[in-house]
Amino acid sequence: MDKISIAIASYNGAKFLREQLDSLYNQTVLPDEIVVSDDCSKDGTAEILEEYHRTKGLKYVVNEHNLGFNKNFENALKNTIGEYILICDQDDIWLPNKVEVLVNAIKKYDRTKPVLVTSTTMDYMDGKVLRNNTKPRMSWVQMLYGNNTQGCCTIINRALLDKALPIMPPKGSLYDGYLGMIAGMTGEWENIGTPLMYYRHHANNVIANRDKRNDQYPNIFAKDRFSLMDDIEAKYSQDFKPERRKIFNKVKAFGLKRSKLSRIIVAIGLSEVPFISRLKCIVKICLQ
């Protein structure tokens, strides 16, 4: 039986950590291990981790010094043993069937190739659902032009993790987009479009409170995406699937254009991108 791991990066998460951990230990399919990398928390997080270690068998490591967001997640992933690894934030709540659904979804793919399957969320604040983010199934194309790989929604296989280590996204990029692009260009990427967790919004949430404004590019072609594409191409181009290189180059060409007209022309020519996404892109370019 293939082992299933859950990898968590924690940092000063004591306020919501118990509720998250309880949701993991109440899954319809239980993981073989839950591994936490703590980034030198100072709020009682370590005490909670020790409690769950004693009572539930949770595994955790405390970093010698603060590693930061990306490297803390890398450390959690590196300490797992599972063939399939689910990535988890410290402050959300998983629906009871999340592990079961994602494991069944990823097992459809060749385990010898890098694979990432992701899902969606229900935005959640103060005990209320703000929005249900159900979407149609997304293919690898959406991975290229939009922020459609959300770490806390994701399951990866060992082949992807081995290929990606060490996880070193370029400045301004995050580990989840890095993993997603490697999977999409060298293996398989899928977003099943199903919300499987409550994504908690609060004052200390790292991602929910990031400034998403971007003056140079529309959000679906965010500026940091092109630096990520350059980095992935430099490291993994020899493993790119040939049929995917063409659309990769077309999206990348968008980032090289500076005038509104040239960007509109490139956006129109991206026939692989859904029409509504291209239309939104064009409207945003015109409004800049």
Side-chain angles (χ1 to χ4, degrees):
M1 182 75 76
D2 294 321
K3 290 189 180 297
I4 302 167
S5 301
I6 296 177
I8 306 175
S10 66
Y11 178 66
N12 290 342
K15 184 175 182 180
F16 303 117
L17 183 58
R18 289 180 185 277
E19 194 170 13
Q20 173 67 296
L21 290 174
D22 288 342
S23 75
L24 306 185
Y25 283 109
N26 283 286
Q27 291 290 302
T28 55
V29 171
L30 290 174
D32 294 281
E33 63 172 4
I34 298 174
V35 178
V36 183
S37 175
D38 184 69
D39 212 15
C40 306
S41 294
K42 299 177 177 64
D43 68 339
T45 292
E47 287 78 4
I48 295 173
L49 297 178
E50 176 59 24
E51 176 190 332
Y52 277 77
H53 168 69
R54 293 195 313 268
T55 61
K56 300 287 189 179
L58 177 140
K59 301 176 183 178
Y60 73 95
V61 293
V62 177
N63 302 329
E64 292 183 5
H65 54 86
N66 189 275
L67 298 178
F69 185 78
N70 283 327
K71 282 298 179 181
N72 196 29
F73 265 108
E74 179 191 53
N75 195 44
L77 291 165
K78 283 167 58 177
N79 279 280
T80 62
I81 62 170
E83 171 62 26
Y84 301 112
I85 307 109
L86 295 100
I87 302 172
C88 181
D89 287 345
Q90 65 182 357
D91 49 7
D92 301 319
I93 304 170
W94 285 16
L95 298 186
N97 65 336
K98 181 177 178 179
V99 172
E100 181 177 6
V101 171
L102 286 179
V103 169
N104 287 338
I106 199 170
K107 281 187 173 181
K108 298 174 185 176
Y109 294 100
D110 182 353
R111 59 186 290 166
T112 68
K113 306 293 184 184
V115 182
L116 182 149
V117 176
T118 189
S119 55
T120 62
T121 69
M122 288 176 280
D123 291 331
Y124 183 81
M125 179 181 287
D126 299 330
K128 297 180 181 179
V129 175
L130 306 178
R131 183 174 60 177
N132 186 327
N133 297 305
T134 302
K135 298 179 180 180
R137 176 188 174 274
M138 298 180 190
S139 72
W140 65 272
V141 175
Q142 279 94 335
M143 168 276 304
L144 277 181
Y145 67 81
N147 183 24
N148 295 309
T149 305
Q150 189 173 358
C152 61
C153 299
T154 292
I155 185 170
I156 65 175
N157 67 353
R158 180 61 52 178
L160 174 57
L161 181 57
D162 289 345
K163 193 177 192 69
L165 290 173
I167 299 174
M168 299 178 65
K171 185 177 180 181
S173 298
L174 299 177
Y175 78 94
D176 46 10
Y178 185 82
L179 291 172
M181 195 163 289
I182 296 171
M185 294 309 300
T186 70
E188 297 297 339
W189 182 99
E190 178 186 3
N191 188 324
I192 63 174
T194 304
L196 295 173
M197 56 173 276
Y198 297 108
Y199 181 62
R200 195 191 301 267
H201 292 252
H202 59 88
N204 296 320
N205 186 298
V206 174
I207 301 303
N209 293 299
R210 290 182 80 197
D211 186 357
K212 293 181 174 60
R213 291 174 299 177
N214 192 304
D215 295 331
Q216 188 172 3
Y217 300 105
N219 287 339
I220 63 170
F221 295 111
K223 195 163 129 181
D224 60 2
R225 180 154 305 275
F226 304 111
S227 61
L228 178 59
M229 293 178 80
D230 287 338
D231 189 79
I232 296 298
E233 185 173 32
K235 294 175 181 175
Y236 300 101
S237 61
Q238 71 277 8
D239 298 324
F240 278 12
K241 290 196 167 186
E243 68 275 15
R244 299 183 182 181
R245 187 180 293 275
K246 181 178 179 181
I247 176 62
F248 181 93
N249 290 338
K250 288 173 72 174
V251 172
K252 190 176 174 183
F254 186 94
L256 300 175
K257 305 300 182 183
R258 291 296 176 261
S259 72
K260 285 187 178 183
L261 179 59
S262 60
R263 278 186 274 150
I264 289 171
I265 291 172
V266 173
I268 292 172
L270 284 167
S271 58
E272 298 87 349
V273 175
F275 173 77
I276 189 66
S277 294
R278 282 181 285 154
L279 182 60
K280 288 179 181 178
C281 177
I282 293 166
V283 169
K284 288 179 180 180
I285 293 171
C286 293
L287 294 175
Q288 286 175 348

